[in-house]
Amino acid sequence: MKELENKILTEGKVIDNSILKVDSFFNYCIDISMLRSVGKFIASHFKNVDKVLTIEASGIAFAVAVAFELGNVPVIFAKKSKTAVTSTDENYIAMVHSFTHGIDNNIYVSKRFLNENDNVLIVDDFLANGAASIGLVQICQQAKANVVGVGIGIEKEFQGGRKKLQDLGCKIVSAARITAFENNKPIFSTEKY
Amino acid sequence: MKELENKILTEGKVIDNSILKVDSFFNYCIDISMLRSVGKFIASHFKNVDKVLTIEASGIAFAVAVAFELGNVPVIFAKKSKTAVTSTDENYIAMVHSFTHGIDNNIYVSKRFLNENDNVLIVDDFLANGAASIGLVQICQQAKANVVGVGIGIEKEFQGGRKKLQDLGCKIVSAARITAFENNKPIFSTEKY
């Protein structure tokens, strides 16, 4: 998606040919016009979605933008810690390794919110090694929900997440698909999405 | 706002006349149609907003819905922990006491994203004792930004947050303003918002 690619080129920063910072418009200070365009792009590639599933915190804004374009379907976000001690919920649980922080974390979705009748679009602002998205797929599998696909804002394809999700049978659409960093500039895939 | 009040009455759960659970439609599994209505209601009460400021995680969806209705102004969310070790950002910092979890936490906003030229609408899904919103006001004060007001989804007025924010000079608009719980049912304010 050219609009997002151009924004990454002009406002993103690549550090040491490995880290892409887009926090000035995408995942901290959020350019809402851009977010809506990206949401529209992702939504246009998927049909028959009942629910959008993401992970807190930075995936939430993106999930809302996608859900708007899918006719206001509900958004659920997986939590990185169990909810308040007052909760008696049973949860679907998956383990996710964070390379940024170097630790393993469980993610949780209450069993009240996903079941075998749901057709779920998983979305996340980033796809790198795929750990977070695969955790969300595992949660859908536990719920016996149907995964319609995975919608991603910015993908770093060379980190292998796409391959792993494809091996799980997922259709993946990314608004910006980066195949490499060269001289601290992103190189975008020539594939359509 | 009647639509949200009715939803709270039909789908919310009050526990021990003190805790209101609305996670089936508002802050975990999110009813996006409802969220858009609430965003529209809040946005209609404020003018000349440049940026919407909230706090992760559950405030983000609501902030995006408000920002959509304010002409796609940017959304910034305060973080509950410092960003990745790779970040060299200086931050505005405020201390927030969580009554739910019984601990004090710092919240952070990068100095890159707020400054003295900004007219900021603070939004949050809940207002109770006001700790989170007051933390966001303090962050705006550090940035010398102008606080246009505070927009809230669901307010528990009897917990005192409104009074404290008014003492700080803030205009407050809540989509649902609860003055008490009686027999595990919310009583809504007769004030307009």
Side-chain angles (χ1 to χ4, degrees), chain B residues 20-163:
Chain B
L20 176 64
K21 279 189 79 164
V22 288
D23 60 0
S24 66
F25 64 92
F26 196 62
N27 58 350
Y28 189 171
C29 180
I30 305 166
D31 178 329
I32 297 291
S33 295
M34 170 60 64
L35 191 78
R36 295 186 79 157
S37 298
V38 175
K40 199 167 189 170
F41 176 85
I42 296 296
S44 71
H45 290 89
F46 296 99
K47 281 180 188 162
N48 303 320
V49 176
D50 305 322
K51 286 179 181 167
V52 171
L53 176 65
T54 190
I55 188 168
E56 66 177 358
S58 61
I60 297 175
F62 180 48
V64 169
V66 174
F68 275 23
E69 300 294 336
L70 287 169
N72 295 335
V73 298
V75 167
I76 302 160
F77 59 88
K79 300 195 177 192
K80 291 178 179 167
S81 61
K82 282 192 192 178
T83 44
V85 284
T86 50
S87 173
T88 54
D89 276 10
E90 288 188 44
N91 295 292
Y92 305 115
I93 304 174
M95 205 265 285
V96 173
H97 181 77
S98 164
F99 283 86
T100 315
H101 300 98
I103 46 171
D104 291 333
N105 285 308
N106 282 332
I107 60 171
Y108 305 85
V109 172
S110 169
K111 290 190 177 178
R112 285 181 292 143
F113 302 140
L114 272 185
N115 66 52
E116 62 194 10
N117 299 315
D118 291 323
N119 295 296
V120 179
L121 177 62
I122 292 169
V123 306
D124 208 358
D125 50 350
F126 272 96
L127 176 65
N129 59 72
S133 295
I134 289 167
L136 294 173
V137 171
Q138 290 168 342
I139 277 174
C140 288
Q141 288 171 337
Q142 291 172 35
K144 298 186 170 60
N146 173 42
V147 177
V148 176
V150 179
I152 298 294
I154 300 173
E155 176 187 351
K156 295 189 279 184
E157 190 176 350
F158 55 93
Q159 294 192 347
R162 174 177 287 258
K163 175 78 176 62

Side-chain angles (χ1 to χ4, degrees), chain A residues 73-93:
Chain A
V73 297
V75 167
I76 302 159
F77 58 89
K79 299 196 177 192
K80 291 178 180 169
S81 61
K82 283 192 192 180
T83 45
V85 284
T86 51
S87 173
T88 54
D89 276 10
E90 287 188 46
N91 294 290
Y92 305 115
I93 304 174

Side-chain angles (χ1 to χ4, degrees), chain A residues 114-184:
Chain A
L114 271 185
N115 65 53
E116 61 195 11
N117 299 314
D118 290 324
N119 295 297
V120 179
L121 177 63
I122 292 170
V123 306
D124 207 358
D125 51 349
F126 273 95
L127 175 65
N129 60 72
S133 294
I134 289 168
L136 295 173
V137 172
Q138 289 168 342
I139 277 174
C140 288
Q141 288 170 337
Q142 290 171 37
K144 297 188 172 58
N146 173 43
V147 177
V148 176
V150 179
I152 298 293
I154 300 173
E155 175 187 353
K156 296 189 277 183
E157 190 176 350
F158 55 93
Q159 294 190 348
R162 174 177 288 259
K163 176 76 175 62
K164 290 182 213 162
L165 286 164
Q166 281 172 335
D167 289 347
L168 290 168
C170 297
K171 171 183 171 178
I172 304 154
V173 175
S174 299
R177 189 170 160 184
I178 297 169
T179 54
F181 294 127
E182 288 179 11
N183 303 316
N184 284 331

